[in-house]
């Protein structure tokens, strides 16, 4: 019987949970602010962890990119904090990427809602004219 989850998947899950807590408690840089760690992927050799993040309460892409740059500069510090809490021989190097997926999802959802409302109003207008 095969394994359901690879070791890289389990490490990615642990890194995701710990990073969310560590960033909230340890990073006081105003460029970072409130961060949501959406996903973490770890390479098969556990050397690199890519963290996909969004910033809560920020709509400006420039501010979000600035926050991502700040997190990438603090990656070594965050890695050292992770190493203290993970029981791994080597802790993966961290790379942060700004994830626009939730923003795109909200935009698509609002477009769908608007289209449904317009369709419903047209349908109601047709019923009234009969």
């Amino acid at each position: 019987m095969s394994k359901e989850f690879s070791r890289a998947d389990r490490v990615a899950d642990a890194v995701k949970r710990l990073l969310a807590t560590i960033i909230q408690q340890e990073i006081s840089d105003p460029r970072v602010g409130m961060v949501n760690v959406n996903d973490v992927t770890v390479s098969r050799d556990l050397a690199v962890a890519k963290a996909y993040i969004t910033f809560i309460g920020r709509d400006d892409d420039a501010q979000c990119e600035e926050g991502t740059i700040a997190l990438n500069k603090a990656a070594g510090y965050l890695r050292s904090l992770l190493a203290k809490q993970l029981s791994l021989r080597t802790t993966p190097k961290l790379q942060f990427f700004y994830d626009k997926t939730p923003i795109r999802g909200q935009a698509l959802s609002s477009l769908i809602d608007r289209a449904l409302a317009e369709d419903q109003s047209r349908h109601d207008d047709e019923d009234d004219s009969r």
Side-chain angles (χ1 to χ4, degrees), residues 74-119:
Y77 173 66
L78 293 171
R79 182 181 183 199
S80 68
L81 294 175
L82 268 178
K84 292 176 184 174
Q85 296 185 25
L86 288 175
S87 56
L88 295 173
R89 183 174 293 159
T90 59
T91 304
K93 291 181 183 177
L94 298 174
Q95 296 175 344
F96 293 93
F97 298 93
Y98 175 51
D99 187 12
K100 296 180 184 178
T101 305
I103 295 167
R104 284 191 215 132
Q106 286 178 339
L108 286 174
S109 180
S110 68
L111 286 173
I112 291 169
D113 290 343
R114 189 171 6 152
L116 288 174
E118 288 175 8
D119 188 46

Side-chain angles (χ1 to χ4, degrees), residues 56-76:
I56 299 170
R58 292 192 185 173
D59 297 329
D60 185 21
D61 283 345
Q63 286 180 336
C64 295
E65 290 298 330
E66 196 174 299
T68 304
I69 290 168
L71 281 174
N72 278 313
K73 287 185 178 180

Side-chain angles (χ1 to χ4, degrees), residues 8-67:
D9 291 339
R10 292 191 306 269
V11 170
D13 185 50
V15 168
K16 178 182 174 182
R17 284 185 285 111
L18 289 172
L19 261 183
T21 304
I22 290 171
I23 291 172
Q24 179 185 4
Q25 294 174 354
E26 299 293 331
I27 302 295
S28 60
D29 191 330
R31 296 175 294 174
V32 175
M34 297 272 300
V35 174
N36 186 23
V37 180
N38 294 338
D39 193 25
V40 173
T41 57
V42 176
S43 61
R44 289 182 65 199
D45 62 354
L46 307 179
V48 177
K50 295 180 180 180
Y52 299 92
I53 56 171
T54 55
F55 294 89
I56 299 170
R58 292 192 185 173
D59 297 329
D60 185 21
D61 283 345
Q63 286 180 336
C64 295
E65 290 298 330
E66 196 174 299

